[in-house]
Amino acid sequence: MRKLLGTPYHLIKAKNSTLLIKECLFNYEFLLHKSQALSIISIEEDLKAAISTERTVPDLTLLSEVLKLSRKVLIQDPCQLASQLIGRLHQIVAADKPVTPGDPKKYLYLPALLSQCLKSSIPVLVPSTSCLMPPGGLLCDFLTGHLDRITAIGETQKERVIATASCDGTLKLWDLQIGKAIFTLHGVGKNISAIVVCLENRLVAVSDKTTIQIWDLSSERVIYAAGEFLDTPVLTSAMNGQLLLVFFNGNHMVQRLHGPYGGELLPTFRVALEIQTCSFYFSSISPMMWAYSVFDLTRSCQLVHQGFLLTEEVPMHKNGSILLSKNSVKEYVLCAYRGGNEAMVFSGKKGQVVAQLKSQEPMAAVGDVAVTKEYFLVIFRCPFMQQREIVHIELYNVHNFAYSHSLKGCCNDFIHIFAVPHLGSHLVAFSPIPNTNTTEILSWNLESEDHKHLAKFSSIPAGGVCSDLRYCLAFCDGENYLQLWNLASKINDQSLTVTVSTRRKTNGIQNIVTMENYSRYAVCQHTNPGAVTVWNIVKSKCKRNAVRVERGLSENTDVVLVRDMKLFVLTDKGMSSFADPPRPIFQTLLVYDLLKKKYIKKQTGLYIIPCQNNEYKILEGGLLLGLSENRRNETKTGKKRRREKAVKAEMEKLQMLVNEKSNAIDQYLLSGDQKVAVCSYYAHHLSVFSLESMSHLHTIECRESMLFLHSAALTYDGLYLVLTNYNEEEKVSYVTLWNLKSGKVQKRLKNEPNVCCIAITDDASRIIFGVMVENRQTVLLGLSDNPTLITLKMVSNTNAGSSTGKDLFGEESTSSEEEPEVG
């Protein structure tokens, strides 16, 4: 025991990392006996200390991740150490080969450790291949506090607070930012299946198999209870938690109205329904009938509506046949019968179905429903390639209930739990992999339609929520702790994207670039890979046809940038063998001259990190501007100083904003003179940088709104920024003009929703923005489903001056056609 404790301690204090690695950390017998005598946690502490002093040994990080993945098993049975190490590391060690003869291997100590596992002093089961989840994925944290297994989890009306119920009879509220329970309610029951927190976290409604209860959290007592349900009631809330909606099996109400001996409704659910109307309907329905009750929590849980869910769908009689959205928009919630072909928009204020959302696919079957601030989401499963099924997600506008667009999953998605973050930008799902006891975490970007497989873990969740991409939680059947993942660190990783689009490809215009030195021309990049066209936007005879068409200049994986009639093509995408871990890079740059119609430059041996096309810019002099490998080039000491300064200045009140300062760059915007860049971080702040001095100028913040650059514009000199933002507290959309010199708001327009594009004059005296409701005047318009460039001129009392210059591509001219046209 003295050797097990003392040897690592003294070697760490002596900073003798070489002997510590050989004699302790990569000595199988030492690890086995220490895990048996003490715990696997003590070995993790030794590894953590070794990694802090010896960062150049990748074996240490890999071994630490393996022990973290195997912690649960090794705490119960340390004798499985050899099985866990070989099962997770065998394939990694086998694939570790030198790049060229004579080069060293990446992992120097792991092969010897696995060889020692095969000669274990105790009998062990040795896997013949990698049969366990390998390290290198997104690791999870754990939240502990319940004494018995968790049975239910639910979101609250605060973004970073969630609620759980357990068989120990308690309900806990968790603050995800500090990772601890902040409130415990005793005596709620041992078989809670659903939790709904209402009225700004003052009331909580819970349900088990046959009853519901509404608790006042301040007094910790029940203020309403109802029972005798035939099936498990399903709960949700509407109107910011003011209304509680309960959906349940209503067959007992039908029988009491039409039993052979008469009868009446249960006292708890007595409603004013006309018997004749109900009789006419009940005589033509299926044996299974769902009913609903709506309670006004602001008026002492008063029952305001009750009735039956009227629909043409014939529900199946089984538990969980009704699907209900966990959240709402205004007074609307979304419900559907599992396996049906439509969803219903239910108004809690009116107590009735106000719209039916029928699937665009005739063979689709509803699997779940969800609601965001902008869309109703209906998740279907559709037949795909005869013997397979695919996830098909349809989005409907929350204002007019009209169909918007669809998202696709892949054939390997077997999803049973969905979650929508408060921001409403993504859909997150848990997808168990059949016959493996393994689950993947998936995501869909609701606007860009990107589908990603973000993480994988070895268990099957029984429930989960994701109120924020930084806090994705799940619990498994029989476990008394929560697992937590930070998805925000992987959400922008394009290498995780799965291409699932099955829509017909059209040769439309994807991007329009005007030429600074050739003002009468615009270059268009098409959705068809490799197609580029040049348009004369001055001559009227040239407006229907391109003056030059180039095809086959690039492939699907290439990135094409345009500047001054030259195409810069980033190509030869491969994997960097010397990076840790290996990552995709562009290795070749080709420069094509549109005037000479030939390649004028080729540069090889490059290391360019792949980004989205709009994240690259070609600056004057042929310089390429892009995002760095880790999107934040900051040393550990610099990061520590920044955090300490922020904590000291802002104190505990701004702790959330301080944590957001370490987010990765999401997007950036470049000024017209290419001297100022503004970056967004999926956070409540933006950073302003000077490209002249290569320095950070200042940070602009808004505590009430997330700041994005999706719909934003900079003045030419970079002194003013206009963007759209949504005030999360007031529930109001704004168009905000920022003075980047002072870092303050110059002007703000209130109640401006659905802004899809925006522009600003050089002196910031006028802002032009377009909304989805009605078309605003535009200069150039490229349609995604039409290869023709459309030119529109703004109506003005003063005619604009003509664009000067000569025709470069030999356009025919029979008269003086140098206009502008004022339409």
Side-chain angles (χ1 to χ4, degrees):
M1 180 65 72
R2 184 176 180 182
K3 181 179 179 181
L4 295 175
L5 285 172
T7 303
Y9 174 80
H10 291 293
L11 291 176
I12 292 172
K13 291 297 182 182
K15 297 183 179 181
N16 192 343
S17 57
T18 303
L19 195 60
L20 174 67
I21 291 173
K22 291 183 178 180
E23 299 297 329
C24 299
L25 300 181
F26 288 88
N27 184 334
Y28 167 74
E29 293 296 333
F30 183 89
L31 297 178
L32 176 63
H33 288 86
K34 186 164 185 176
S35 61
Q36 290 176 328
L38 299 171
S39 172
I40 195 68
I41 298 177
S42 62
I43 300 177
E44 291 181 342
E45 293 174 352
D46 293 342
L47 279 168
K48 185 177 180 180
I51 292 174
S52 63
T53 58
E54 190 61 54
R55 295 181 176 274
T56 59
V57 181
D59 307 57
L60 292 171
T61 303
L62 206 61
L63 181 59
S64 177
E65 292 184 9
V66 168
L67 294 183
K68 189 169 184 179
L69 289 172
S70 305
R71 180 191 298 166
K72 180 181 177 181
V73 174
L74 296 178
I75 288 177
Q76 296 178 352
D77 185 9
C79 296
Q80 294 192 36
L81 178 62
S83 303
Q84 292 289 322
L85 292 176
I86 295 176
R88 298 186 191 277
L89 293 173
H90 173 76
Q91 191 64 34
I92 295 177
V93 173
D96 183 21
K97 297 179 180 179
V99 179
T100 58
D103 288 350
K105 292 185 177 181
K106 182 177 180 179
Y107 302 109
L108 302 178
Y109 302 101
L110 289 179
L113 178 61
L114 297 190
S115 299
Q116 296 173 37
C117 293
L118 298 175
K119 304 174 183 178
S120 176
S121 59
I122 61 174
V124 295
L125 293 174
V126 178
S128 59
T129 184
S130 292
C131 56
L132 300 176
M133 188 181 303
L138 187 64
L139 298 178
C140 69
D141 293 321
F142 300 93
L143 298 181
T144 59
H146 282 295
L147 302 179
D148 205 341
R149 64 183 181 90
I150 297 174
T151 59
I153 187 172
E155 300 179 14
T156 69
Q157 294 184 290
K158 294 183 180 179
E159 287 189 16
R160 294 169 183 83
V161 177
I162 60 105
T164 58
S166 169
C167 282
D168 59 11
T170 63
L171 182 144
K172 291 182 180 290
L173 297 182
W174 302 79
D175 188 330
L176 302 179
Q177 197 165 359
I178 62 176
K180 295 181 180 180
I182 56 176
F183 177 81
T184 301
L185 180 64
H186 296 274
V188 295
K190 295 186 177 181
N191 296 305
I192 300 301
S193 59
I195 304 171
V196 176
V197 182
C198 309
L199 282 186
E200 299 179 353
N201 292 8
R202 288 182 289 160
L203 300 181
V204 59
V206 297
S207 69
D208 57 13
K209 293 182 179 179
T210 59
T211 64
I212 65 169
Q213 295 178 343
I214 302 177
W215 289 74
D216 187 327
L217 295 182
S218 59
S219 62
E220 299 186 19
R221 62 183 183 88
V222 178
I223 61 174
Y224 183 87
E228 300 185 24
F229 292 99
L230 297 182
D231 248 331
T232 304
V234 186
L235 310 179
T236 190
S237 64
M239 295 186 67
N240 293 325
Q242 297 180 27
L243 300 179
L244 176 67
L245 286 73
V246 183
F247 288 75
F248 55 93
N249 182 348
N251 276 10
H252 63 297
M253 301 171 66
V254 177
Q255 293 168 1
R256 294 206 173 206
L257 280 171
H258 296 279
Y261 305 105
E264 60 178 2
L265 297 178
L266 291 176
T268 309
F269 301 99
R270 204 181 300 266
V271 291
L273 293 176
E274 294 186 4
I275 302 299
Q276 294 178 354
T277 305
C278 294
S279 301
F280 174 79
Y281 179 73
F282 295 148
S283 62
S284 61
I285 62 172
S286 61
M288 172 67 174
M289 191 61 205
W290 281 90
Y292 62 84
S293 295
V294 181
F295 299 90
D296 190 340
L297 302 181
T298 61
R299 295 190 287 176
S300 302
C301 304
Q302 179 181 348
L303 180 64
V304 293
H305 296 292
Q306 186 176 17
F308 295 94
L309 199 58
L310 308 181
T311 176
E312 299 176 0
E313 292 283 339
V314 179
M316 298 175 60
H317 180 51
K318 67 175 184 178
N319 187 24
S321 61
I322 188 77
L323 300 169
L324 194 60
S325 60
K326 297 178 182 178
N327 45 9
S328 64
V329 54
K330 300 179 181 177
E331 76 268 23
Y332 301 125
V333 298
L334 197 60
C335 58
Y337 287 118
R338 188 186 299 276
N341 192 252
E342 68 177 20
M344 296 162 281
V345 180
F346 185 88
S347 172
K349 193 174 182 180
K350 298 178 181 178
Q352 63 183 17
V353 174
V354 296
Q356 293 182 332
L357 311 179
K358 290 187 176 293
S359 173
Q360 306 298 307
E361 298 287 339
M363 302 299 293
V366 180
D368 210 337
V369 291
V371 177
T372 71
K373 298 174 182 177
E374 298 293 334
Y375 300 109
F376 292 117
L377 278 66
V378 188
I379 298 97
F380 297 95
R381 290 205 69 86
C382 298
F384 180 71
M385 298 182 66
Q386 296 181 350
Q387 297 182 350
R388 304 179 117 184
E389 288 186 339
I390 193 172
V391 174
H392 177 77
I393 306 167
E394 295 185 0
L395 285 76
Y396 297 83
N397 191 289
V398 298
H399 303 292
N400 55 17
F401 312 129
Y403 170 77
S404 175
H405 60 281
S406 298
L407 310 177
K408 295 287 186 181
C410 47
C411 296
N412 299 324
D413 299 339
F414 301 91
I415 301 167
H416 74 296
I417 298 175
F418 287 89
V420 178
H422 279 294
L423 192 61
S425 59
H426 292 76
L427 176 67
V428 178
F430 294 92
S431 174
I433 303 175
N435 306 319
T436 62
N437 195 41
T438 303
T439 301
E440 285 188 301
I441 302 179
L442 316 178
S443 74
W444 285 266
N445 188 310
L446 300 185
E447 296 300 336
S448 67
E449 304 183 17
D450 284 349
H451 174 42
K452 293 184 174 68
H453 290 221
L454 299 176
K456 187 185 293 185
F457 60 99
S458 57
S459 54
I460 305 297
V465 296
C466 184
S467 60
D468 190 292
L469 288 175
R470 292 165 295 180
Y471 306 107
C472 179
L473 297 103
F475 70 92
C476 301
D477 193 17
E479 296 180 346
N480 62 347
Y481 58 85
L482 295 169
Q483 299 184 61
L484 184 149
W485 295 267
N486 180 4
L487 303 183
S489 60
K490 292 285 187 178
I491 202 68
N492 291 323
D493 190 346
Q494 293 301 318
S495 64
L496 301 176
T497 302
V498 180
T499 302
V500 297
S501 178
T502 58
R503 292 179 294 181
R504 182 174 61 90
K505 298 291 185 179
T506 57
N507 185 21
I509 292 177
Q510 185 179 29
N511 189 28
I512 304 171
V513 183
T514 57
M515 300 292 99
E516 183 177 352
N517 295 331
Y518 305 93
S519 58
R520 59 172 53 198
Y521 293 99
V523 177
C524 298
Q525 297 174 256
H526 290 246
T527 55
N528 186 15
V532 177
T533 55
V534 183
W535 299 78
N536 189 319
I537 60 177
V538 175
K539 285 185 175 293
S540 60
K541 288 190 175 182
C542 299
K543 289 182 180 179
R544 295 185 178 273
N545 297 290
V547 297
R548 174 150 297 173
V549 179
E550 297 286 354
R551 294 185 176 91
L553 296 179
S554 61
E555 298 178 354
N556 290 337
T557 58
D558 296 342
V559 172
V560 180
L561 308 173
V562 184
R563 182 183 174 94
D564 292 340
M565 291 299 175
K566 292 183 178 60
L567 304 181
F568 297 80
V569 183
L570 302 179
T571 185
D572 192 14
K573 191 175 183 179
M575 299 297 293
S576 61
S577 57
F578 50 86
D580 183 19
R583 61 172 301 149
I585 59 171
F586 289 114
Q587 305 175 77
T588 302
L589 172 65
L590 302 176
V591 182
Y592 183 87
D593 194 319
L594 290 171
L595 298 177
K596 299 178 181 179
K597 295 196 67 172
K598 67 178 183 179
Y599 289 99
I600 59 175
K601 185 178 181 181
K602 179 179 180 180
Q603 193 170 352
T604 60
L606 304 178
Y607 185 95
I608 302 176
I609 305 302
C611 305
Q612 296 183 6
N613 292 18
N614 60 349
E615 293 178 339
Y616 292 109
K617 295 292 180 184
I618 296 295
L619 306 180
E620 189 175 356
L623 297 178
L624 175 65
L625 175 65
L627 300 180
S628 63
E629 183 170 358
N630 57 7
R631 307 227 174 175
R632 179 179 284 277
N633 188 13
E634 190 175 26
T635 64
K636 182 180 178 181
T637 56
K639 187 175 183 179
K640 183 178 179 181
R641 287 195 303 268
R642 177 178 57 83
R643 285 185 170 178
E644 289 177 351
K645 183 179 178 180
V647 170
K648 183 179 178 180
E650 303 294 340
M651 302 296 289
E652 296 181 356
K653 184 177 179 180
L654 300 180
Q655 188 62 44
M656 177 192 69
L657 299 179
V658 175
N659 291 340
E660 289 182 345
K661 297 297 176 61
S662 58
N663 284 6
I665 295 176
D666 180 41
Q667 283 185 308
Y668 75 86
L669 201 60
L670 190 65
S671 64
D673 58 4
Q674 300 180 353
K675 294 181 180 180
V676 177
V678 181
C679 299
S680 65
Y681 299 86
Y682 195 82
H684 292 75
H685 71 278
L686 301 173
S687 292
V688 184
F689 298 91
S690 170
L691 299 183
E692 282 187 315
S693 60
M694 295 296 178
S695 62
H696 172 263
L697 297 179
H698 50 261
T699 301
I700 60 177
E701 295 180 343
C702 182
R703 301 182 188 180
E704 300 83 12
S705 303
M706 297 284 282
L707 299 182
F708 300 101
L709 298 176
H710 301 302
S711 297
L714 267 174
T715 56
Y716 182 84
D717 53 8
L719 293 181
Y720 294 93
L721 169 70
V722 60
L723 52 78
T724 61
N725 61 297
Y726 180 79
N727 190 305
E728 300 164 2
E729 295 182 357
E730 300 178 0
K731 311 296 182 184
V732 175
S733 298
Y734 289 97
V735 174
T736 307
L737 177 65
W738 290 85
N739 186 325
L740 298 186
K741 187 174 182 180
S742 63
K744 297 181 180 180
V745 175
Q746 187 81 9
K747 192 173 182 180
R748 176 170 286 170
L749 300 179
K750 191 176 181 180
N751 293 321
E752 295 293 346
N754 303 325
V755 174
C756 59
C757 57
I758 198 165
I760 186 173
T761 58
D762 289 343
D763 58 354
S765 61
R766 178 173 296 179
I767 296 171
I768 303 173
F769 60 90
V771 295
M772 299 177 64
V773 180
E774 55 182 300
N775 293 327
R776 299 294 178 93
Q777 295 167 331
T778 312
V779 177
L780 293 178
L781 176 63
L783 303 179
S784 61
D785 57 352
N786 192 325
T788 303
L789 177 65
I790 301 173
T791 304
L792 303 177
K793 296 296 182 67
M794 296 182 61
V795 176
S796 175
N797 294 328
T798 304
N799 292 341
S802 300
S803 175
T804 59
K806 64 179 182 178
D807 298 333
L808 301 176
F809 298 92
E811 299 94 324
E812 295 183 3
S813 177
T814 58
S815 62
S816 179
E817 296 177 330
E818 306 300 329
E819 68 264 17
E821 298 175 354
V822 180

PDB file of all heavy atoms in Angstrom, residues 21 75 131 147 166 212 216 275 295 331 354 436 568 697:
ATOM      1  N   ILE A  21       5.992   7.485 -15.806  1.00  0.00           N
ATOM      2  CA  ILE A  21       5.261   6.856 -16.901  1.00  0.00           C
ATOM      3  C   ILE A  21       5.601   5.374 -17.012  1.00  0.00           C
ATOM      4  O   ILE A  21       4.716   4.518 -17.141  1.00  0.00           O
ATOM      5  CB  ILE A  21       5.567   7.601 -18.216  1.00  0.00           C
ATOM      6  CG1 ILE A  21       4.943   9.003 -18.190  1.00  0.00           C
ATOM      7  CG2 ILE A  21       5.070   6.820 -19.424  1.00  0.00           C
ATOM      8  CD1 ILE A  21       5.335   9.865 -19.364  1.00  0.00           C
ATOM      9  N   ILE A  75     -14.994   0.805 -11.200  1.00  0.00           N
ATOM     10  CA  ILE A  75     -15.310   1.032  -9.789  1.00  0.00           C
ATOM     11  C   ILE A  75     -15.994  -0.199  -9.196  1.00  0.00           C
ATOM     12  O   ILE A  75     -15.731  -0.597  -8.059  1.00  0.00           O
ATOM     13  CB  ILE A  75     -16.196   2.286  -9.642  1.00  0.00           C
ATOM     14  CG1 ILE A  75     -15.356   3.548  -9.898  1.00  0.00           C
ATOM     15  CG2 ILE A  75     -16.831   2.355  -8.257  1.00  0.00           C
ATOM     16  CD1 ILE A  75     -16.152   4.832  -9.842  1.00  0.00           C
ATOM     17  N   CYS A 131     -13.980  -3.892 -29.231  1.00  0.00           N
ATOM     18  CA  CYS A 131     -15.423  -4.121 -29.105  1.00  0.00           C
ATOM     19  C   CYS A 131     -16.089  -3.064 -28.239  1.00  0.00           C
ATOM     20  O   CYS A 131     -17.309  -3.085 -28.095  1.00  0.00           O
ATOM     21  CB  CYS A 131     -15.674  -5.505 -28.510  1.00  0.00           C
ATOM     22  SG  CYS A 131     -14.864  -5.767 -26.923  1.00  0.00           S
ATOM     23  N   LEU A 147     -30.803   9.611  -4.560  1.00  0.00           N
ATOM     24  CA  LEU A 147     -30.431   8.379  -3.865  1.00  0.00           C
ATOM     25  C   LEU A 147     -30.974   7.139  -4.562  1.00  0.00           C
ATOM     26  O   LEU A 147     -30.545   6.019  -4.232  1.00  0.00           O
ATOM     27  CB  LEU A 147     -30.938   8.422  -2.414  1.00  0.00           C
ATOM     28  CG  LEU A 147     -30.434   9.603  -1.570  1.00  0.00           C
ATOM     29  CD1 LEU A 147     -31.037   9.536  -0.178  1.00  0.00           C
ATOM     30  CD2 LEU A 147     -28.913   9.608  -1.510  1.00  0.00           C
ATOM     31  N   SER A 166     -37.253  11.323  -8.852  1.00  0.00           N
ATOM     32  CA  SER A 166     -36.568  10.059  -8.598  1.00  0.00           C
ATOM     33  C   SER A 166     -37.457   9.150  -7.769  1.00  0.00           C
ATOM     34  O   SER A 166     -38.438   9.581  -7.137  1.00  0.00           O
ATOM     35  CB  SER A 166     -35.245  10.313  -7.881  1.00  0.00           C
ATOM     36  OG  SER A 166     -34.678   9.117  -7.390  1.00  0.00           O
ATOM     37  N   ILE A 212     -52.426  13.202 -11.282  1.00  0.00           N
ATOM     38  CA  ILE A 212     -51.605  14.390 -11.444  1.00  0.00           C
ATOM     39  C   ILE A 212     -51.661  15.183 -10.157  1.00  0.00           C
ATOM     40  O   ILE A 212     -52.644  15.138  -9.413  1.00  0.00           O
ATOM     41  CB  ILE A 212     -52.060  15.263 -12.628  1.00  0.00           C
ATOM     42  CG1 ILE A 212     -53.460  15.827 -12.378  1.00  0.00           C
ATOM     43  CG2 ILE A 212     -51.987  14.511 -13.922  1.00  0.00           C
ATOM     44  CD1 ILE A 212     -53.857  16.896 -13.375  1.00  0.00           C
ATOM     45  N   ASP A 216     -46.950  23.786  -5.001  1.00  0.00           N
ATOM     46  CA  ASP A 216     -46.421  25.134  -4.810  1.00  0.00           C
ATOM     47  C   ASP A 216     -45.027  24.984  -4.216  1.00  0.00           C
ATOM     48  O   ASP A 216     -44.859  24.491  -3.097  1.00  0.00           O
ATOM     49  CB  ASP A 216     -47.318  25.931  -3.861  1.00  0.00           C
ATOM     50  CG  ASP A 216     -46.902  27.394  -3.774  1.00  0.00           C
ATOM     51  OD1 ASP A 216     -45.683  27.673  -3.880  1.00  0.00           O
ATOM     52  OD2 ASP A 216     -47.759  28.256  -3.595  1.00  0.00           O
ATOM     53  N   ILE A 275     -75.202  16.913 -24.306  1.00  0.00           N
ATOM     54  CA  ILE A 275     -75.235  15.470 -24.445  1.00  0.00           C
ATOM     55  C   ILE A 275     -75.524  15.074 -25.888  1.00  0.00           C
ATOM     56  O   ILE A 275     -74.942  14.137 -26.426  1.00  0.00           O
ATOM     57  CB  ILE A 275     -76.299  14.885 -23.498  1.00  0.00           C
ATOM     58  CG1 ILE A 275     -75.982  15.288 -22.057  1.00  0.00           C
ATOM     59  CG2 ILE A 275     -76.365  13.368 -23.615  1.00  0.00           C
ATOM     60  CD1 ILE A 275     -74.670  14.789 -21.547  1.00  0.00           C
ATOM     61  N   PHE A 295     -56.108  24.069 -17.346  1.00  0.00           N
ATOM     62  CA  PHE A 295     -56.200  24.728 -16.055  1.00  0.00           C
ATOM     63  C   PHE A 295     -55.500  26.078 -16.122  1.00  0.00           C
ATOM     64  O   PHE A 295     -54.396  26.183 -16.674  1.00  0.00           O
ATOM     65  CB  PHE A 295     -55.551  23.873 -14.955  1.00  0.00           C
ATOM     66  CG  PHE A 295     -56.200  22.532 -14.762  1.00  0.00           C
ATOM     67  CD1 PHE A 295     -55.763  21.429 -15.481  1.00  0.00           C
ATOM     68  CD2 PHE A 295     -57.232  22.369 -13.872  1.00  0.00           C
ATOM     69  CE1 PHE A 295     -56.350  20.188 -15.310  1.00  0.00           C
ATOM     70  CE2 PHE A 295     -57.835  21.137 -13.687  1.00  0.00           C
ATOM     71  CZ  PHE A 295     -57.389  20.043 -14.406  1.00  0.00           C
ATOM     72  N   GLU A 331     -50.149  30.665 -27.027  1.00  0.00           N
ATOM     73  CA  GLU A 331     -51.065  29.708 -26.394  1.00  0.00           C
ATOM     74  C   GLU A 331     -51.122  28.379 -27.135  1.00  0.00           C
ATOM     75  O   GLU A 331     -51.918  27.507 -26.796  1.00  0.00           O
ATOM     76  CB  GLU A 331     -52.484  30.292 -26.319  1.00  0.00           C
ATOM     77  CG  GLU A 331     -53.250  30.301 -27.632  1.00  0.00           C
ATOM     78  CD  GLU A 331     -53.079  31.587 -28.414  1.00  0.00           C
ATOM     79  OE1 GLU A 331     -52.058  32.279 -28.177  1.00  0.00           O
ATOM     80  OE2 GLU A 331     -53.937  31.896 -29.243  1.00  0.00           O
ATOM     81  N   VAL A 354     -56.966  24.289 -33.604  1.00  0.00           N
ATOM     82  CA  VAL A 354     -57.145  25.415 -34.527  1.00  0.00           C
ATOM     83  C   VAL A 354     -56.549  25.142 -35.897  1.00  0.00           C
ATOM     84  O   VAL A 354     -56.823  25.884 -36.841  1.00  0.00           O
ATOM     85  CB  VAL A 354     -56.536  26.696 -33.935  1.00  0.00           C
ATOM     86  CG1 VAL A 354     -57.260  27.103 -32.673  1.00  0.00           C
ATOM     87  CG2 VAL A 354     -55.036  26.514 -33.649  1.00  0.00           C
ATOM     88  N   THR A 436     -26.462  -2.871 -29.794  1.00  0.00           N
ATOM     89  CA  THR A 436     -25.118  -2.487 -29.351  1.00  0.00           C
ATOM     90  C   THR A 436     -25.096  -1.849 -27.975  1.00  0.00           C
ATOM     91  O   THR A 436     -24.013  -1.604 -27.443  1.00  0.00           O
ATOM     92  CB  THR A 436     -24.486  -1.485 -30.343  1.00  0.00           C
ATOM     93  OG1 THR A 436     -25.279  -0.298 -30.390  1.00  0.00           O
ATOM     94  CG2 THR A 436     -24.393  -2.079 -31.737  1.00  0.00           C
ATOM     95  N   PHE A 568     -10.018  31.914 -57.186  1.00  0.00           N
ATOM     96  CA  PHE A 568      -9.055  31.273 -56.298  1.00  0.00           C
ATOM     97  C   PHE A 568      -9.700  29.964 -55.812  1.00  0.00           C
ATOM     98  O   PHE A 568     -10.687  29.987 -55.067  1.00  0.00           O
ATOM     99  CB  PHE A 568      -8.714  32.182 -55.123  1.00  0.00           C
ATOM    100  CG  PHE A 568      -8.048  33.462 -55.518  1.00  0.00           C
ATOM    101  CD1 PHE A 568      -8.789  34.537 -55.993  1.00  0.00           C
ATOM    102  CD2 PHE A 568      -6.668  33.600 -55.430  1.00  0.00           C
ATOM    103  CE1 PHE A 568      -8.185  35.717 -56.362  1.00  0.00           C
ATOM    104  CE2 PHE A 568      -6.051  34.781 -55.794  1.00  0.00           C
ATOM    105  CZ  PHE A 568      -6.796  35.846 -56.267  1.00  0.00           C
ATOM    106  N   LEU A 697      -9.843  45.460 -30.804  1.00  0.00           N
ATOM    107  CA  LEU A 697     -10.212  46.829 -30.455  1.00  0.00           C
ATOM    108  C   LEU A 697     -11.079  46.858 -29.197  1.00  0.00           C
ATOM    109  O   LEU A 697     -10.708  47.436 -28.192  1.00  0.00           O
ATOM    110  CB  LEU A 697     -10.949  47.485 -31.624  1.00  0.00           C
ATOM    111  CG  LEU A 697     -10.134  47.641 -32.926  1.00  0.00           C
ATOM    112  CD1 LEU A 697     -10.982  48.279 -34.010  1.00  0.00           C
ATOM    113  CD2 LEU A 697      -8.865  48.454 -32.674  1.00  0.00           C
TER     114      LEU A 697
END
